[in-house]
Amino acid sequence: MPPRVPRRRAATRGTDNACREPDPECGPDFFTEFQHAGILANTGVVVTRNRLIGNQLGIYAFGTMETSHNTLIDNEYFGMALQDGTFTAVKDTIRGGGDGVAVIASAIDTTAQLNQVRITKVTGDRIRKFECCGFTARVTTQP
């Protein structure tokens, strides 16, 4: 049997990475504005068992990655943003804030599988897709 390779884990404790006002460069549009994230993750990273409160984005991910058992509370724009890749989220909780999950396709087709992801008390959309330049964003959910 091959040796077990530990998964990498990103962690934070309620980090406030908000754009400081006034900052005209920050906003919710992924194609024309910047956002600050509590955790920024890329291909191969597994983001698990974190509690992120009060960021513009709780988790911002690119590439191919997984999230699980994270609690994302009152993040201003989105609890989670998944861009240009293949993503699996399992048993994450998004509560309060703007929108729940953004799935963004700007350089490749993007797929997000949301398994038992709870999204409650958001003021905007639970799931929102952003598509550009002929690429598609696809989301599947399992209760």
Side-chain angles (χ1 to χ4, degrees):
M1 180 175 348
R4 183 174 174 177
V5 177
R7 292 184 175 193
R8 292 185 284 172
R9 178 178 173 198
T12 189
R13 290 198 172 126
T15 305
D16 175 11
N17 292 331
C19 277
R20 301 296 175 210
E21 296 300 326
D23 188 342
E25 299 297 318
C26 288
D29 187 323
F30 291 96
F31 300 117
T32 62
E33 298 172 302
F34 295 103
Q35 303 82 29
H36 293 262
I39 293 177
L40 179 63
N42 202 341
T43 296
V45 173
V46 175
V47 180
T48 187
R49 300 191 188 284
N50 295 287
R51 180 178 167 99
L52 295 128
I53 302 168
N55 295 284
Q56 288 184 333
L57 304 173
I59 298 170
Y60 199 175
F62 298 85
T64 300
M65 57 95 46
E66 301 173 21
T67 68
S68 68
H69 299 91
N70 295 290
T71 301
L72 312 168
I73 301 170
D74 294 332
N75 291 288
E76 184 178 4
Y77 300 135
F78 290 90
M80 194 180 314
L82 310 172
Q83 183 169 356
D84 294 331
T86 303
F87 305 92
T88 303
V90 179
K91 294 186 178 180
D92 292 312
T93 299
I94 298 170
R95 185 173 66 236
D99 294 300
V101 177
V103 180
I104 308 136
S106 63
I108 63 171
D109 291 335
T110 300
T111 302
Q113 171 119 16
L114 308 178
N115 298 332
Q116 299 176 359
V117 173
R118 292 187 58 209
I119 305 170
T120 61
K121 300 181 181 178
V122 294
T123 58
D125 297 323
R126 290 172 29 86
I127 300 169
R128 188 167 167 199
K129 297 190 294 186
F130 292 82
E131 298 177 325
C132 176
C133 314
F135 299 105
T136 60
R138 189 179 67 182
V139 181
T140 57
T141 61
Q142 294 184 0

